């Protein structure tokens, strides 16, 4: 059996991200079959047991995940000329407390905070930022099957056969899309539920069946709903909440 880089295996097993794995290894917080491993680049067999020191487990419990109701005009990740990154919305006076008492904002919560998925600049709704590599992998890893739900306003005519095609049968970038759940919400709005997230996927899918998207809002990721979080505000993922 071929050996695999320890940090990669830790990420694949959902213990942490690869970057976090390297930090834990350097600090001597990683054990393989009970033996401490502190050398970066170490390789082990997939069958070997990996455990983390209590210090690493304690640090993981302090990592935060933040939900933002992104308005149109903000970018999810790297800033673009003339536009602001959505992470700039995460400031003390924009915090929304869903169920008091709420976690108190600390500047350290912005350190290594990264978006777990995209939301186009001209789209709005639920956007997740996290310090926790386990959550990032759960939401955007190659094997992620977390549902994302969107409300999409459209213009154009959509016959029944084209609606069936939206649900399954379209291809983007030369690859067949995974089956989706798409239905009419009202006379000009569709409800999309997807298990993948290609760049501008919904807009491109609609173009393929002759529809023009005039508004797009993400309202759910897994079990987490946008709910009553106001536009432009943010809140912490609560300890009891799971995707």
């Amino acid at each position: 059996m071929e050996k695999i880089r320890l940090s990669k295996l830790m990420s694949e097993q959902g213990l942490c991200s690869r970057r976090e794995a390297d930090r834990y290894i350097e600090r001597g917080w990683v054990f393989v079959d009970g033996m401490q491993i502190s050398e970066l680049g170490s390789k082990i067999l997939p069958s070997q047991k990996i455990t983390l020191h209590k210090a690493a487990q304690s640090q993981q419990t302090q990592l935060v995940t933040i939900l933002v109701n992104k308005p149109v005009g903000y970018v999810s990740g790297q800033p673009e000329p003339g536009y602001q990154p959505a992470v700039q919305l995460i400031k003390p006076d924009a915090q929304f407390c869903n169920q008091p008492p709420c976690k108190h904002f600390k500047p350290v919560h912005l350190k290594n905070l990264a978006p777990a998925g995209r939301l186009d600049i001209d789209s709005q709704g639920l956007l997740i930022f996290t310090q926790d590599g386990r959550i990032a992998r759960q939401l955007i890893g190659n094997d992620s099957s977390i549902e994302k739900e969107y409300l999409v306003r459209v213009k154009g005519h959509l016959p029944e056969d084209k609606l069936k095609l939206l649900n399954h049968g379209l291809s983007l970038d030369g690859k067949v899309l995974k089956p989706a759940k798409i239905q009419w919400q009202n006379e000009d709005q569709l409800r999309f539920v997807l298990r993948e997230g290609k760049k501008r996927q919904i807009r491109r899918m609609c173009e393929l069946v002759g529809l023009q998207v005039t508004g797009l809002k993400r309202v759910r990721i897994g079990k987490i709903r946008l709910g009553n979080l106001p536009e432009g505000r943010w809140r912490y993922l609560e300890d009891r909440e799971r995707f």
Side-chain angles (χ1 to χ4, degrees), residues 137-203:
R137 184 178 182 276
Q138 182 184 5
L139 298 183
I140 59 176
N142 292 333
D143 56 350
S144 175
S145 60
I146 296 288
E147 287 187 345
K148 285 93 173 175
E149 180 179 343
Y150 305 80
L151 297 179
V152 185
R153 294 201 176 277
V154 295
K155 284 183 179 179
H157 177 60
L158 184 67
E160 190 63 29
D161 62 328
K162 293 281 184 74
L163 179 58
K164 289 181 179 178
L165 197 59
L166 273 179
N167 277 272
H168 193 214
L170 294 178
S171 298
L172 290 176
D173 306 321
K175 293 185 178 180
V176 177
L177 296 174
K178 294 180 181 178
K181 300 174 187 175
I182 301 163
Q183 60 190 42
W184 283 108
Q185 192 77 1
N186 53 51
E187 61 182 14
D188 68 345
Q189 186 170 251
L190 290 164
R191 173 180 173 267
F192 275 69
V193 178
L194 306 179
R195 290 184 179 270
E196 58 190 333
K198 294 183 179 295
K199 188 174 182 180
R200 299 182 71 83
Q201 179 172 337
I202 291 176
R203 295 176 190 276

Side-chain angles (χ1 to χ4, degrees), residues 8-24:
K8 180 181 179 182
L9 198 56
M10 289 171 67
S11 173
E12 289 178 350
Q13 292 182 5
L15 293 172
C16 57
S17 70
R18 292 185 69 166
R19 183 180 297 178
E20 288 165 344
D22 284 339
R23 287 203 299 268
Y24 295 163

